[in-house]
């Protein structure tokens, strides 16, 4: 019963104040903790079929400064376009337009608070009040809409095509840059058109590269080193009967994605550059599923190449086969069922970039 209660829809609240119990670490004083995730799981009495499709909810905790022992906390929904429409209608909207839940990650950079969702644009939030300001287009460079393109801007606009931004950008502390990428599906050849931008604290682009990735669906996370951006491409698709049911509004996106556990995983390495030119290197590995990457490192080899090591959290082939082709099937329903969710492993992948070959056997460290 307690577990089920964790997945009941939330309500907005606060700001409210309360006293700190115990001793607050000095590093937290004056700081702010912000997180987001799915917070609304039903509309008009109809439960969402997948918890990952829940509307985004932000929790913010402002820790007290020196000399004060009261903290402040509040929670707000991200008022996306679909959220407002569904609130007005009192029911779910299930159609061919992909819903931007803004529920995956939250980022504060260069004075902006962004709530992120990998299949759409980030939503800009007012940091002090958590008021939703609207989609972040980065000065009009990106457009809201389904992440696809026919290569004809006028036709893309007419069809409601736009861009999707990663839900997991990363900060390069050494260069003090935010590494963020957008992508959209090229309808003609099926490739993904990627643009990686490195932003400084004033939101000025300091580096940008564009390239095509031949992949069925965009990776969820990425990593980087001084020389490379790195993605692990899981072999997932939105095709066939599942695509048809999604377009008919019978399935949400998380339900409709399917995975082929027998195909090799692809590691994509793209060179970092302050120019628009980039080289893409691709390595195929035995099948596994990358969820997130903790970090990556690189060392120079004697022959002038690069030895890249990628550290990831993911599932092995047995775990993928546990649920059949349905991606994240065990996360469906009212609550996640950990009797069926695959075991997560920590993966260490070492690649010699110059030779495009695995430099060592795969090493799997269990959590």
């Amino acid at each position: 019963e307690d577990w089920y209660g964790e997945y009941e829809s939330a309500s907005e609240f606060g700001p409210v104040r309360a006293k700190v119990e115990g001793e607050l670490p000095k590093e937290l004083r004056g700081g702010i903790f912000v997180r987001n995730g799915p917070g609304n799981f039903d509309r008009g009495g109809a439960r969402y079929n997948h918890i990952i499709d829940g509307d985004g909810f932000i929790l913010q905790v402002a820790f007290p400064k020196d000399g004060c022992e009261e903290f402040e906390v509040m929670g707000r929904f991200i008022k996306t376009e679909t959220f407002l429409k569904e609130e007005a209608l009192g029911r779910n909207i299930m159609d061919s337009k992909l819903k931007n839940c803004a529920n995956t990650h939250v980022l504060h950079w260069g004075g902006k608070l962004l709530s992120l969702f990998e299949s759409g644009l980030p939503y800009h939030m007012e940091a002090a009040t958590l008021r939703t300001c609207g989609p972040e287009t980065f000065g009009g460079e990106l457009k809201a809409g389904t992440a696809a393109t026919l290569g004809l801007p006028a036709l893309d606009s007419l069809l409601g095509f736009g861009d999707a931004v990663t839900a997991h950008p990363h900060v390069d502390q050494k260069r003090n840059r935010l590494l963020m990428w957008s992508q959209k599906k090229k309808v003609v050849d099926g490739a993904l058109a990627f643009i990686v931008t490195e932003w400084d604290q004033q939101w000025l682009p300091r580096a940008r590269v564009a390239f095509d990735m031949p992949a069925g669906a965009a990776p969820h996370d990425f990593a980087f080193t001084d020389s490379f951006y790195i993605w692990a491409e899981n072999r997932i698709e939105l095709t066939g009967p599942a695509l048809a049911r999604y377009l008919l509004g019978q399935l949400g996106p998380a339900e409709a994605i399917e995975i082929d556990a027998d195909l090799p995983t692809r590691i994509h390495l793209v060179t970092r550059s302050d120019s628009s030119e980039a080289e893409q290197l691709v390595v195929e590995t035995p099948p596994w599923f990358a969820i997130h990457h903790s970090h990556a490192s690189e060392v120079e080899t004697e022959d002038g190449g690069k030895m890249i090591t990628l550290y990831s959290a993911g599932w092995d082939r047995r775990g993928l086969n546990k649920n059949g082709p349905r991606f994240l099937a065990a996360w469906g329903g009212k609550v996640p069922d950990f009797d069926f969710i695959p075991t997560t492993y920590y993966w260490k992948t070492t690649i010699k970039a110059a030779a495009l070959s695995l430099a060592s056997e795969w090493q799997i460290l269990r959590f």
Side-chain angles (χ1 to χ4, degrees), residues 1 21 27 38 68 120 123 153 155 178 199 249 257 266 288 319 343 351:
E1 185 177 336
E21 296 183 8
E27 292 82 3
C68 177
Y123 265 77
L155 189 54
L178 175 69
W199 301 96
I257 294 174
R266 292 177 181 150
W288 64 293
T343 301
I351 301 167

Side-chain angles (χ1 to χ4, degrees), residues 238-260:
L238 181 58
T239 59
L243 175 60
R245 292 186 65 193
Y246 166 67
L247 294 175
L248 289 171
Q250 297 174 355
L251 292 178
E255 298 175 282
I257 294 174
E258 296 184 354
I259 184 165
D260 191 332

Side-chain angles (χ1 to χ4, degrees), residues 83-296:
F83 181 92
L84 293 173
K85 286 182 179 179
E86 291 185 340
E87 281 279 281
L89 292 171
R91 62 175 175 82
N92 297 333
I93 298 175
M94 292 290 287
D95 55 25
S96 60
K97 184 177 180 181
L98 183 61
K99 178 178 178 178
N100 185 337
C101 300
N103 68 5
T104 310
H105 187 43
V106 65
L107 165 78
H108 192 277
W109 178 263
K112 289 184 178 181
L113 181 66
L114 300 179
S115 187
L116 300 142
F117 183 68
E118 66 188 51
S119 297
L121 297 185
Y123 265 77
H124 182 191
M125 312 291 292
E126 189 177 79
T129 65
L130 299 186
R131 179 180 66 87
T132 303
C133 302
E136 177 58 57
T137 65
F138 303 94
E141 292 189 10
L142 302 181
K143 298 184 182 300
T146 302
T149 180
L150 288 167
L152 301 169
L155 189 54
D156 286 352
S157 180
L158 181 65
L159 294 172
F161 289 167
D163 302 276
V165 174
T166 177
H168 294 288
H170 292 282
V171 175
D172 184 340
Q173 299 285 357
K174 184 184 296 185
R175 303 183 192 181
N176 194 25
R177 294 177 179 179
L178 175 69
L179 279 52
M180 179 176 278
W181 47 274
S182 64
Q183 57 84 18
K184 49 191 170 185
K185 190 79 167 180
K186 298 175 73 173
V187 177
V188 175
D189 62 13
L192 296 171
F194 268 69
I195 298 177
V196 185
T197 304
E198 301 193 10
W199 301 96
D200 66 15
Q201 288 278 1
Q202 288 70 48
W203 286 99
L204 296 174
R206 293 303 180 183
R208 178 169 288 162
V209 297
F211 62 96
D212 287 351
M213 180 184 291
H220 178 63
D221 197 3
F222 80 119
F224 69 93
T225 66
D226 286 344
S227 303
F228 295 97
Y229 311 112
I230 307 168
W231 290 266
E233 178 201 344
N234 301 312
R235 307 307 290 274
I236 57 178
E237 298 277 356
L238 181 58
T239 59
L243 175 60
R245 292 186 65 193
Y246 166 67
L247 294 175
L248 289 171
Q250 297 174 355
L251 292 178
E255 298 175 282
I257 294 174
E258 296 184 354
I259 184 165
D260 191 332
D262 295 323
L263 292 178
T265 299
R266 292 177 181 150
I267 309 295
H268 297 257
L269 297 92
V270 176
T271 53
R272 292 179 67 177
S273 173
D274 289 335
S275 68
S276 60
E277 297 181 1
E279 181 183 2
Q280 185 176 179
L281 316 174
V282 181
V283 176
E284 290 193 342
T285 75
W288 64 293
F289 190 93
I291 307 170
H292 286 288
H293 308 294
S294 61
H295 66 291

Side-chain angles (χ1 to χ4, degrees), residues 288-292 312-316 342-347 364 367:
W288 64 293
F289 190 93
I291 307 170
H292 286 288
S312 315
W315 303 319
D316 65 4
T343 301
T344 300
Y345 295 90
Y346 194 43
W347 299 75
I364 306 174
F367 276 135

